[in-house]
Amino acid sequence: MTIDNQKRSKISAGLKSLSSHLHDMNRSGISSVKLTDDAAEKLNSLKKSINSQFNIECPDPSTKDKAALIKNIKSKVSRSKEIKELGTLREKLVFSSGTPEAKIIFIGEAPGREEEEQGKPFVGPSGQLLTKIINAMGLNREDVYISNIVKYRPKVEGGNQGSSNRKPSNIEVQKSLPFILEEINVIKPLLVVTLGGTAMEGLLKIKGTLSASRGKLYEKLGTKVIVTYHPSFLLRSKSPNRDKRRLWEDMMLAMNVLGMKLTEKQKNYFK
């Protein structure tokens, strides 16, 4: 499908007008423009549409380029004044682990004590269970990309942190969200898996319960997304076999999206 000359002219004129406006803003001292999530997604969709209509091919960055881009995002998080000014997060940055070439990204809410100590996401009891889940899929941690929306361990009231953790607040998630969206844009996975209700609501803006929301495919930035339980939920579940089966059903859905063949043994886990 090609675009006719009239539409081409309108798009060109619109882009020139936008470019002129942005240059005027820059000359007036405004160096950046904040977009809502919806606006960013619409702009991303527009870019894809224009590229398609004009038959523009955008090659994916190389592994080396992706690694450099992820490193740049990490640097931006560490320098973020908005995050530091919250005053509700601890100081050690816990960014991500895994490969930028991953076909699947696992996203949690925020690091806890063990993650803060080791500087890596999902390394405590929840992380050990996540590793087992990844292995059960036939993958290793080195094959996937693991991150959190909030990159710092949230402080607890009173200052006596100890081993106590808390889920991040809405404002902490809001200020941190642009960075995980950048990570998704760089990696361009086939699938994102959110772990727990906080990550689900933060990324997808879903207000319902996780139980009612799982088992479906969603989309964010042109990437398929599924939601499932946080591993910590399974560790404290009063019906562990039932909930493990539900999570495993979500992982089987993930494997189908990734084009992975399920063995009979895998199909019957936790039945």
Side-chain angles (χ1 to χ4, degrees):
M1 180 179 177
T2 58
I3 192 166
D4 61 50
N5 289 334
Q6 185 176 10
K7 288 183 179 178
R8 187 187 295 264
S9 297
K10 285 183 178 179
I11 291 172
S12 179
L15 292 174
K16 285 179 180 178
S17 176
L18 176 60
S19 177
S20 176
H21 178 64
L22 291 174
H23 276 99
D24 288 343
M25 290 176 64
N26 186 257
R27 283 191 291 269
S28 68
I30 301 173
S31 60
S32 62
V33 178
K34 288 188 177 181
L35 299 176
T36 63
D37 291 345
D38 288 342
E41 287 205 54
K42 287 178 181 177
L43 193 61
N44 192 52
S45 297
L46 176 62
K47 176 184 174 183
K48 289 181 179 179
S49 176
I50 291 173
N51 287 344
S52 174
Q53 293 287 356
F54 282 92
N55 297 315
I56 299 172
E57 290 191 7
C58 297
D60 288 336
S62 67
T63 302
K64 185 176 179 182
D65 291 338
K66 284 186 176 183
L69 290 169
I70 292 297
K71 187 176 180 180
N72 183 56
I73 298 169
K74 181 179 180 180
S75 178
K76 285 198 287 186
V77 176
S78 69
R79 292 182 282 108
S80 172
K81 290 183 179 179
E82 286 195 335
I83 290 178
K84 284 183 171 62
E85 287 172 355
L86 289 173
T88 57
L89 299 171
R90 286 166 64 86
E91 294 183 1
K92 185 169 180 178
L93 172 63
V94 180
F95 194 67
S96 66
S97 67
T99 174
E101 288 298 318
K103 301 301 181 186
I104 182 170
I105 297 179
F106 291 91
I107 299 176
E109 55 183 43
R113 183 190 66 178
E114 292 88 351
E115 288 74 24
E116 184 180 52
E117 289 174 350
Q118 297 187 40
K120 294 180 180 180
F122 283 93
V123 292
S126 294
Q128 293 165 21
L129 181 52
L130 177 60
T131 299
K132 291 179 181 179
I133 293 166
I134 292 168
N135 293 159
M137 295 172 70
L139 300 169
N140 295 311
R141 281 184 69 119
E142 294 77 16
D143 301 320
V144 306
Y145 186 86
I146 302 172
S147 194
N148 284 300
I149 293 181
V150 176
K151 311 298 190 185
Y152 297 87
R153 183 182 175 196
K155 293 179 181 178
V156 298
E157 290 185 14
N160 296 319
Q161 187 89 27
S163 61
S164 299
N165 299 315
R166 68 164 173 84
K167 76 174 189 177
S169 66
N170 290 338
I171 188 66
E172 290 165 347
V173 169
Q174 178 187 329
K175 296 297 183 182
S176 304
L177 188 62
F179 301 109
I180 194 68
L181 295 180
E182 284 192 57
E183 289 169 81
I184 294 170
N185 260 329
V186 167
I187 294 171
K188 293 181 170 47
L190 294 177
L191 180 68
V192 169
V193 178
T194 64
L195 301 168
T198 302
M200 174 189 77
E201 184 175 341
L203 191 70
L204 298 174
K205 305 298 184 251
I206 295 174
K207 297 295 184 182
T209 65
L210 194 150
S211 294
S213 303
R214 52 169 293 278
K216 306 169 188 175
L217 280 174
Y218 301 90
E219 189 172 295
K220 188 73 176 182
L221 300 176
T223 299
K224 291 182 174 64
V225 182
I226 66 172
V227 305
T228 194
Y229 299 114
H230 194 285
S232 64
F233 172 77
L234 298 185
L235 294 176
R236 62 177 186 269
S237 172
K238 294 180 179 178
S239 304
N241 286 337
R242 181 199 65 187
D243 293 328
K244 284 178 182 177
R245 177 62 190 179
R246 288 176 177 175
L247 182 144
W248 184 244
E249 287 170 354
D250 296 332
M251 294 305 99
M252 288 194 289
L253 174 59
M255 292 172 70
N256 283 329
V257 173
L258 296 174
M260 298 174 68
K261 187 176 180 180
L262 281 155
T263 66
E264 286 302 313
K265 182 178 179 181
Q266 286 173 319
K267 291 177 184 176
N268 289 298
Y269 281 165
F270 310 112
K271 269 193 171 181

